[in-house]
Amino acid sequence: MDFVLPRRAHVFVDESKSGSYYIAAAVISPADVVATRSTIKGLRHKGSTAVHFKSERDSVRRAFLKGAAATGVQTVVYVVSGEPDKVARPACLEALIEDLCYADAERLVLEQDDSLAAADRRIIAEQLRVQDNRHLRYSHMRRNEEPLLWVGDAVAWCFQKGGSWRADVEPLIGEVRRL
């Protein structure tokens, strides 16, 4: 892994399933979580409870990317191509958990998708067992409950869109891992 995860990192994950399968993991050092969350929360447009990139106007997207990049948050993007979601998601999660265990990460939050949560918990629990990791805390949360999930959503959406969106999101990407 080229990008170095900060020790005891908190990681916030969302995905995109257009074409290839992408998981974007926003990585934040524990000391920066509160300030970064506050800044990210301030980037949503007035009257909105959350940022969801596929539903936003381009001007909102670009303002969000600029504001998020200013926080210094970095993401790791896990990509699986040519496989169905039921193969790609576990591959991404297994690689993510391995990386988080290696970095002694403290907390993992995945965006809540009720249809995937039970399978996610099984995959994560198995990987934590294999890695002999008993301290990584993980949970699923909805996007309106945790603003830091919006970073992963933005990165995954822009990365899969390609073109100028991929160029615009580059400041938020620490590493891309093609699995």
Side-chain angles (χ1 to χ4, degrees), residues 72-90:
V73 67
Q74 291 285 282
T75 60
V76 179
V77 180
Y78 297 83
V79 183
V80 172
S81 298
E83 296 290 345
D85 295 357
K86 67 182 180 181
V87 172
R89 185 172 180 90

Side-chain angles (χ1 to χ4, degrees), residues 39-114:
T39 299
I40 295 299
K41 191 174 183 178
L43 297 174
R44 68 178 178 217
H45 61 279
K46 191 174 180 139
S48 176
T49 60
V51 172
H52 191 210
F53 250 54
K54 77 175 187 177
S55 305
E56 301 295 344
R57 295 184 323 271
D58 285 353
S59 60
V60 172
R61 291 177 180 137
R62 287 195 170 82
F64 181 89
L65 293 174
K66 184 176 180 180
T71 70
V73 67
Q74 291 285 282
T75 60
V76 179
V77 180
Y78 297 83
V79 183
V80 172
S81 298
E83 296 290 345
D85 295 357
K86 67 182 180 181
V87 172
R89 185 172 180 90
C92 288
L93 286 177
E94 288 168 6
L96 171 66
I97 296 303
E98 184 176 334
D99 291 346
L100 296 184
C101 289
Y102 180 78
D104 200 27
E106 187 170 283
R107 183 169 185 232
L108 169 63
V109 177
L110 298 105
E111 184 179 9
Q112 178 77 36
D113 179 332
D114 294 334

Side-chain angles (χ1 to χ4, degrees), residues 100-139:
L100 296 184
C101 289
Y102 180 78
D104 200 27
E106 187 170 283
R107 183 169 185 232
L108 169 63
V109 177
L110 298 105
E111 184 179 9
Q112 178 77 36
D113 179 332
D114 294 334
S115 68
L116 299 172
D120 286 356
R121 284 191 294 275
R122 281 192 303 275
I123 293 163
I124 294 167
E126 174 62 17
Q127 283 303 305
L128 291 176
R129 187 190 65 70
V130 166
Q131 298 292 327
D132 194 29
N133 182 306
R134 293 179 182 92
H135 73 269
L136 177 66
R137 295 176 294 131
Y138 63 94
S139 62

Side-chain angles (χ1 to χ4, degrees), residues 154-165:
V155 171
W157 186 90
C158 290
F159 197 86
Q160 65 87 19
K161 277 292 186 193
S164 65
W165 288 111

